[in-house]
Amino acid sequence: MKRMPWRYILLTLMLAVITVFSLGPPDVAQAASAKEIDIKVNGTLKSFAETVKGGADFLQEANGVLVFPSVIKAGMVIGGEYGEGALRIGGSTVDYYSTLAASIGFQLGAQSKSIVIVFLTADALQDFRDSSGWKAGVDGSVALIEWGAGEDINSTDIKEPIVGFVFNNKGLMYNLTLEGSKFTKLKKE
């Protein structure tokens, strides 16, 4: 029996991934409802407050918090990620958003992560809300925060107007970037 060369296998897999991602994000019929998103956002914020020492107080001081409870990333050489979330101001949901990103490089598999983006200034929040499709690294920079275990987030000197936190099922993740992620407002009822 003759073995198929690696390049044919790789080409076939790449075409399959391209086909899946060319279909775009889920249809509205498949997308989560506003109520489902809000329930998941509540759970993510609770987890944030439990994981990040001083996290609840930190979020109280924010001008706005954009929360994506589940961003699914999948790829095989070519990858993509998608998730839906909510923007909270004063503890209430004001808008719903999607996040979408693509990547090329060595990658294989799938993962889920939660993203919490905190707007620390009114200007940064307003610039985000006024955009029709805000892209991290282009329309605004999101600084991912790192601090020591047991350290209170409120004791960290944060100078950036927008900070981000990325979690997986094991806790806070470091050495990641949100550069290139696009955030677009969704119409939810």
Side-chain angles (χ1 to χ4, degrees), residues 33 36 40 44-46 49 52 54 62 75 78 86 89 93 98 100 118 120-121 123 135 142 161-162 166 179:
S33 70
E36 290 170 323
K40 291 176 183 177
T44 301
L45 291 174
K46 181 180 179 193
V52 177
I78 298 171
I89 298 176
T93 298
S98 67
L100 183 65
V118 182
L120 297 174
T121 67
D123 288 341
K135 193 168 186 180
V142 180
I162 308 170
V166 180
E179 298 289 317

Side-chain angles (χ1 to χ4, degrees), residues 113-137:
K113 61 186 175 186
S114 299
I115 300 173
V116 176
I117 298 174
V118 182
F119 296 90
L120 297 174
T121 67
D123 288 341
L125 176 62
Q126 195 60 50
D127 288 346
F128 175 79
R129 294 190 77 195
D130 288 344
S131 71
S132 61
W134 195 86
K135 193 168 186 180

Side-chain angles (χ1 to χ4, degrees), residues 27 179 182:
D27 293 338
E179 298 289 317
K182 186 172 182 179

Side-chain angles (χ1 to χ4, degrees), residues 142-157:
V142 180
L144 292 176
I145 300 298
E146 294 183 34
W147 71 97
E151 185 179 351
D152 190 308
I153 186 67
N154 297 301
S155 68
T156 304
D157 186 24

